[in-house]
Amino acid sequence: LFQGKDYMHQLQVIIELLGTPSTEEMDFISNSSARRAIQSFGKHRKRNLARMSQFQGCNPLGLDLLQKMLVFDPQGRCTIDEALEHPYLADLHDENEVPVASEMFDLNFEQGYKGEMP
């Protein structure tokens, strides 16, 4: 969906699909170079997935869920719980079979890792 020739082209492809983020939607980006790079792509309107050839004939509920996940600002995206409760996943999701962590995962072990992933 977001294939690019390099990381800048990939970011451009994302912006062309999701639309140019507003200043508020970029508040989470602390790197000024990254903000300038995004602004350098010009103004793009958000594309309607249902009108794109890749999604012709797709389930409208699936497109609705995808649209809720493909949001530039992480705070605006649906949560995993909202995604699992979405009607598109109703036949696949059984709340009794999904374990819920009692606390946040500690991923600090990944900090500073320089080796290759197994």
Side-chain angles (χ1 to χ4, degrees):
L1 186 59
F2 296 121
Q3 291 180 335
K5 299 171 191 153
D6 56 43
Y7 70 95
M8 286 298 287
H9 183 246
Q10 184 176 26
L11 183 56
Q12 182 178 355
V13 170
I14 291 168
I15 298 300
E16 288 172 356
L17 178 70
L18 301 184
T20 304
S22 67
T23 304
E24 294 80 26
E25 291 171 316
M26 290 197 298
D27 279 347
F28 73 98
I29 301 173
S30 58
N31 184 302
S32 59
S33 295
R35 293 173 74 94
R36 280 193 304 276
I38 291 168
Q39 293 167 338
S40 75
F41 297 129
K43 296 284 184 195
H44 295 276
R45 288 185 182 174
K46 183 177 184 174
R47 295 184 64 190
N48 182 337
L49 296 180
R51 293 185 180 162
M52 295 175 63
S53 61
Q54 301 97 305
F55 300 106
Q56 292 297 309
C58 288
N59 183 316
L61 289 174
L63 289 177
D64 179 65
L65 177 57
L66 187 59
Q67 202 74 49
K68 289 176 176 167
M69 293 189 290
L70 294 177
V71 175
F72 189 82
D73 181 358
Q75 296 299 315
R77 294 179 198 143
C78 67
T79 65
I80 187 64
D81 289 329
E82 290 168 341
L84 289 172
E85 292 169 2
H86 191 277
Y88 182 70
L89 299 177
D91 292 341
L92 303 173
H93 176 61
D94 182 352
E95 201 169 299
N96 297 319
E97 292 182 9
V98 179
V100 177
S102 59
E103 56 188 59
M104 293 289 289
F105 291 108
D106 180 5
L107 301 176
N108 287 330
F109 69 91
E110 291 186 348
Q111 298 298 321
Y113 182 74
K114 304 281 190 242
E116 289 187 28
M117 296 300 287

